[in-house]
């Protein structure tokens, strides 16, 4: 078991998500930065879908009631066990009774803590991910708080063999030098924008607002304009309204200014969606902090698929390096 001494700002249990339920209005939830989650699990010898702790901005403080092997990945977050610092992207041992203390993330927004065996909360709809809007999954469907006790799954006999394993830098994304460009496939309802606003969508440096969260990343910038028309039956009166449509995860919803729908987003509605952030780029967007900027880069579907292939190859190379 792990006892939570301090839940931090917003710490939840997440895995790769609750897939196959979108048609009933259930978003996938799951790790906002899936790649960082996968790296953390690989370091301790877990399967990719084992549950980790997603710590946003500020980390959690934990007491381990059993020996464990842990790793941190994602945003750099200073941490200690006793007086000893815990390096990022390295598998380290925690002895029974020891406490892990974490500080604020520095070069990103979300840090993932993996434990060999995974966080073994009960799955809901075949996932351990937390969906706080309706209070399901994870630990009682909510962020962690003082006094919570988290079960750990059965640790592999080989977990000791990964101690000291360190992810090579060449197989990790450089959050500090990640750039501001976020690749998107423009489309769906982009025809509703004027030509000038369609260009402005990708020419603007948008600022991440304090309202950016797991539901959607709200961005601040110039207001975009829609082509004037007589609204069709079923659409609202506002020019940004369309007849209700499904929202892909990552879609850019446009009630004047962009909201990129993330892992806990609603699955449909009546706002125009003018593009979709490429799946691998959502990992990068999830690490953008309040008041930082992003700029959309239009890519084709083929280019989006190629980016996904590059990310998969990087993860496979990391697993191979760790196993070697």
């Amino acid at each position: 078991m792990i006892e939570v001494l301090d839940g931090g700002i917003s710490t939840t249990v997440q895995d790769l998500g609750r897939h196959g339920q979108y048609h009933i209005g259930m978003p996938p939830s799951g790790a906002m930065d899936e790649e960082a989650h996968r790296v953390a699990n690989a370091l301790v010898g877990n399967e990719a879908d084992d549950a980790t702790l997603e710590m946003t901005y500020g980390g959690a403080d934990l007491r381990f009631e059993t020996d464990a092997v842990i790793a941190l990945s994602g945003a750099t977050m200073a941490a200690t066990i006793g007086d000893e610092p815990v390096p990022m992207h390295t598998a380290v041992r925690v002895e029974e009774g020891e406490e892990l203390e974490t500080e604020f993330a520095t070069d990103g927004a979300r840090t993932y803590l993996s434990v060999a065996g995974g966080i073994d909360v009960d799955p809901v709809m075949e996932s351990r991910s937390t969906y706080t809007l309706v209070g399901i999954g994870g630990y009682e469907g909510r962020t962690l708080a003082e006094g919570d006790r988290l079960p750990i799954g059965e640790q592999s006999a080989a977990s000791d063999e990964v101690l000291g394993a360190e992810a090579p830098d060449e197989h990790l994304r450089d959050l500090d030098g990640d750039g501001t460009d976020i690749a998107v496939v423009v489309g769906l309802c982009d025809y509703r924008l004027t030509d000038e606003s369609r260009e402005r969508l990708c020419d603007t440096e948008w600022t991440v607002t304090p309202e950016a969260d797991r539901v959607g990343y709200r961005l601040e910038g110039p207001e975009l304009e829609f082509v004037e028309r007589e609204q069709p039956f079923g659409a609202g009166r506002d020019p940004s309204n369309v007849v209700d449509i499904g929202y892909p995860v990552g879609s850019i919803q446009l009630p004047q200014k962009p909201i990129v729908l993330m892992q806990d987003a609603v699955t449909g509605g009546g706002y125009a969606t003018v593009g979709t952030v490429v799946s691998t780029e959502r990992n990068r967007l999830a690490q953008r902090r309040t008041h930082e900027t992003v700029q959309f880069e239009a890519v084709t579907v083929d280019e989006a698929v190629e980016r996904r292939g590059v990310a998969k190859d990087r993860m496979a190379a990391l697993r191979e390096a760790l196993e070697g």
Side-chain angles (χ1 to χ4, degrees):
M1 281 282 185
I2 301 172
E3 180 186 356
V4 178
L5 304 177
D6 185 338
I9 294 177
S10 178
T11 301
T12 55
V13 178
Q14 300 294 343
D15 56 20
L16 291 180
R18 187 171 287 106
H19 299 286
Q21 310 295 333
Y22 216 63
H23 65 293
I24 62 170
M26 181 65 66
S29 298
M32 287 274 279
D33 185 346
E34 182 181 303
E35 184 166 337
H37 163 90
R38 287 176 179 271
V39 170
N41 271 329
L43 283 163
V44 298
N46 284 349
E47 297 296 323
D49 199 34
D50 284 337
T52 62
L53 297 185
E54 178 181 275
M55 303 182 291
T56 303
Y57 288 117
D61 294 340
L62 311 168
R63 177 185 293 118
F64 287 76
E65 298 177 0
T66 184
D67 294 350
V69 178
I70 67 169
L72 295 168
S73 182
T76 300
M77 181 176 285
T80 56
I81 299 172
D83 294 327
E84 294 297 317
V86 178
M88 293 292 298
H89 305 116
T90 304
V92 301
R93 175 178 289 284
V94 185
E95 303 286 350
E96 178 182 353
E98 288 188 317
E99 297 179 5
L100 171 73
E101 296 184 358
T102 59
E103 299 182 15
F104 282 86
T106 54
D107 60 359
R110 291 174 171 84
T111 304
Y112 293 83
L113 170 67
S114 62
V115 182
I119 304 298
D120 196 24
V121 293
D122 292 334
V124 176
M125 295 183 181
E126 301 181 351
S127 171
R128 292 181 169 85
S129 286
T130 311
Y131 181 31
T132 58
L133 285 185
V134 296
I136 66 169
Y139 188 88
E140 299 182 355
R142 58 172 173 78
T143 57
L144 299 185
E146 180 183 354
D148 294 342
R149 297 179 74 245
L150 304 170
I152 302 174
E154 184 177 351
Q155 300 183 44
S156 165
S159 61
D160 282 348
E161 297 177 10
V162 303
L163 279 175
E166 184 176 354
D169 288 343
E170 61 265 29
H171 300 317
L172 298 172
R173 296 192 336 262
D174 180 9
L175 293 185
D176 195 35
D178 226 2
T180 61
D181 288 352
I182 299 294
V184 302
V185 177
V186 176
L188 200 56
C189 297
D190 66 307
Y191 66 90
R192 291 291 300 118
L193 292 173
T194 64
D195 291 342
E196 181 182 30
S197 288
R198 194 181 297 111
E199 291 181 6
R200 189 179 298 157
L201 177 69
C202 292
D203 288 344
T204 298
E205 280 201 344
W206 300 96
T207 301
V208 177
T209 71
E211 290 77 25
D213 58 18
R214 287 185 52 86
V215 175
Y217 255 53
R218 295 175 180 268
L219 306 176
E220 182 66 38
E223 189 168 307
L224 301 181
E225 298 179 349
F226 294 89
V227 175
E228 292 186 10
R229 69 169 181 177
E230 181 179 344
Q231 291 290 83
F233 177 78
R237 296 179 180 179
D238 193 279
S240 65
N241 296 152
V242 295
V243 179
D244 283 8
I245 55 175
Y247 296 152
V249 176
S251 58
I252 305 170
Q253 188 185 75
L254 202 61
Q256 278 75 52
K257 295 177 183 179
I259 303 173
V260 181
L261 300 182
M262 302 296 271
Q263 297 303 111
D264 287 352
V266 294
T267 59
Y271 282 119
T273 53
V274 296
T276 303
V277 173
V278 174
S279 58
T280 55
E281 300 290 282
R282 291 201 309 273
N283 299 327
R284 298 178 55 234
L285 181 59
Q287 294 293 0
R288 303 304 294 172
R289 299 162 68 92
T290 298
H291 303 309
E292 291 185 339
T293 60
V294 298
Q295 185 166 352
F296 297 130
E297 175 191 1
V299 300
T300 65
V301 171
D302 287 343
E303 289 171 328
V305 171
E306 182 179 351
R307 286 171 183 257
R308 185 167 60 185
V310 169
K312 285 184 176 180
D313 289 346
R314 183 168 59 241
M315 196 66 236
L318 172 64
R319 285 258 179 195
E320 184 177 350
L322 292 174
E323 291 169 0

